[in-house]
Amino acid sequence: DADVTQTPRNRITKTGKRIMLECSQTKGHDRMYWYRQDPGLGLRLIYYSFDVKDINKGEISDGYSVSRQAQAKFSLSLESAIPNQTALYFCATSDLPVGQGAREQYFGPGTRLTVT
Amino acid sequence: GQQVMQIPQYQHVQEGEDFTTYCNSSTTLSNIQWYKQRPGGHPVFLIQLVKSGEVKKQKRLTFQFGEAKKNSSLHITATQTTDVGTYFCAGDAGGTSYGKLTFGQGTILTVHP
């Protein structure tokens, strides 16, 4: 979805390096999420932010940090990359829930990260 | 924490055959969503189910939410090659983290022409 962009799209880095993945959205959504995808493991939530001042750990936050610079921007950092962080990373956004239903999440195109 | 299990992991079908993927949550859900990811693409929202026992249809796709709101299924009738991809269910437990989804592992569907 062109409304959610991720940079870079591909990155190869070495063990121990610091790397930042960036996500921007033009949908005006308050909620943003970072997931990683590994074969056979589906999408696992790393961090999520329900608004600029609200950041929460997901199920696999160890080794990662995030920054919500503005409503439209949510960055994911790997402070010291390790090979098992090699994965496909997705950013997503959603609007506020309505009634009993959560709102659909809109995903960016993904960043393929390789740590050697 | 909440777990969402999805089976099967892989499914190969001949074009025209039916396909079903099943999703089970370790906890009662507030709602469940389904997404499709084409090869090389990103997940795209298909549908959301909210009510106990709810059934929704989108053309050849039928989605069900269990009575106990702990399981769900997606059934595709007469598959086509355009149906290939990975199908994910995603559960929302509600409460203080309302809107936070836990995804199943996904079912990779291959359709042979």
Side-chain angles (χ1 to χ4, degrees), chain A residues 36 62-64 78 80-89 113-115:
Chain A
R36 65 176 280 176
D62 287 350
Y64 301 94
L78 288 68
S80 180
I82 56 177
N84 77 359
Q85 290 178 313
T86 293
L88 182 57
Y89 290 85
L113 176 66
T114 303
V115 183

Side-chain angles (χ1 to χ4, degrees), chain A residues 8 11-22 63-67 69 75-82 85 113-115:
Chain A
R11 181 73 181 267
I12 300 173
T13 192
K14 294 185 182 297
T15 297
K17 294 290 188 181
R18 184 180 188 276
I19 184 168
M20 178 181 288
L21 309 183
E22 298 187 338
Y64 301 94
S65 63
V66 291
S67 173
Q69 301 95 324
S75 301
L76 175 72
S77 294
L78 288 68
E79 298 300 326
S80 180
I82 56 177
Q85 290 178 313
L113 176 66
T114 303
V115 183

Side-chain angles (χ1 to χ4, degrees), chain B:
Chain B
Q2 180 191 12
Q3 291 187 322
V4 175
M5 306 297 292
Q6 193 174 348
I7 57 170
Q9 186 174 356
Y10 301 95
Q11 187 74 61
H12 297 258
V13 299
Q14 290 293 131
E15 189 173 19
E17 292 181 340
D18 292 357
F19 159 76
T20 305
T21 175
Y22 300 91
C23 186
N24 287 284
S25 171
S26 59
T27 60
T28 301
L29 299 172
S30 172
N31 59 84
I32 194 162
Q33 297 182 6
W34 284 89
Y35 290 78
K36 177 183 178 180
Q37 182 180 23
R38 294 183 186 277
H42 58 273
V44 175
F45 174 81
L46 292 176
I47 207 162
Q48 178 178 255
L49 304 171
V50 177
K51 299 176 182 177
S52 171
E54 188 170 16
V55 178
K56 287 188 175 181
K57 293 189 176 184
Q58 288 180 348
K59 297 183 180 178
R60 294 178 294 104
L61 279 61
T62 301
F63 303 85
Q64 295 188 356
F65 200 12
E67 294 290 341
K69 300 184 75 172
K70 294 183 72 173
N71 58 76
S72 182
S73 65
L74 158 60
H75 179 82
I76 302 178
T77 302
T79 55
Q80 300 176 356
T81 54
T82 54
D83 294 326
V84 299
T86 303
Y87 292 84
F88 293 101
C89 62
D92 181 352
T96 56
S97 60
Y98 191 31
K100 181 172 78 73
L101 299 176
T102 300
F103 281 78
Q105 299 92 328
T107 295
I108 300 172
L109 174 64
T110 302
V111 180
H112 300 283

Side-chain angles (χ1 to χ4, degrees), chain A:
Chain A
D1 193 318
D3 297 324
V4 184
T5 57
Q6 293 183 235
T7 56
R9 294 293 310 279
N10 289 281
R11 181 73 181 267
I12 300 173
T13 192
K14 294 185 182 297
T15 297
K17 294 290 188 181
R18 184 180 188 276
I19 184 168
M20 178 181 288
L21 309 183
E22 298 187 338
C23 177
S24 293
Q25 53 111 349
T26 60
K27 299 192 76 67
H29 291 164
D30 284 326
R31 298 185 166 202
M32 298 187 74
Y33 311 81
W34 275 105
Y35 295 91
R36 65 176 280 176
Q37 183 175 23
D38 301 276
L41 296 178
L43 294 158
R44 293 182 292 166
L45 184 63
I46 306 172
Y47 271 94
Y48 62 104
S49 171
F50 280 177
D51 66 41
V52 175
K53 296 182 180 179
D54 178 58
I55 293 178
N56 305 278
K57 293 183 178 180
E59 58 183 302
I60 54 163
S61 59
D62 287 350
Y64 301 94
S65 63
V66 291
S67 173
R68 184 82 185 266
Q69 301 95 324
Q71 185 201 41
K73 296 183 182 296
F74 193 32
S75 301
L76 175 72
S77 294
L78 288 68
E79 298 300 326
S80 180
I82 56 177
N84 77 359
Q85 290 178 313
T86 293
L88 182 57
Y89 290 85
F90 286 104
C91 172
T93 76
S94 71
D95 208 343
L96 296 175
V98 175
Q100 280 187 283
R103 302 299 284 270
E104 64 184 277
Q105 293 190 9
Y106 294 85
F107 285 79
T111 294
R112 187 165 296 280
L113 176 66
T114 303
V115 183
T116 63

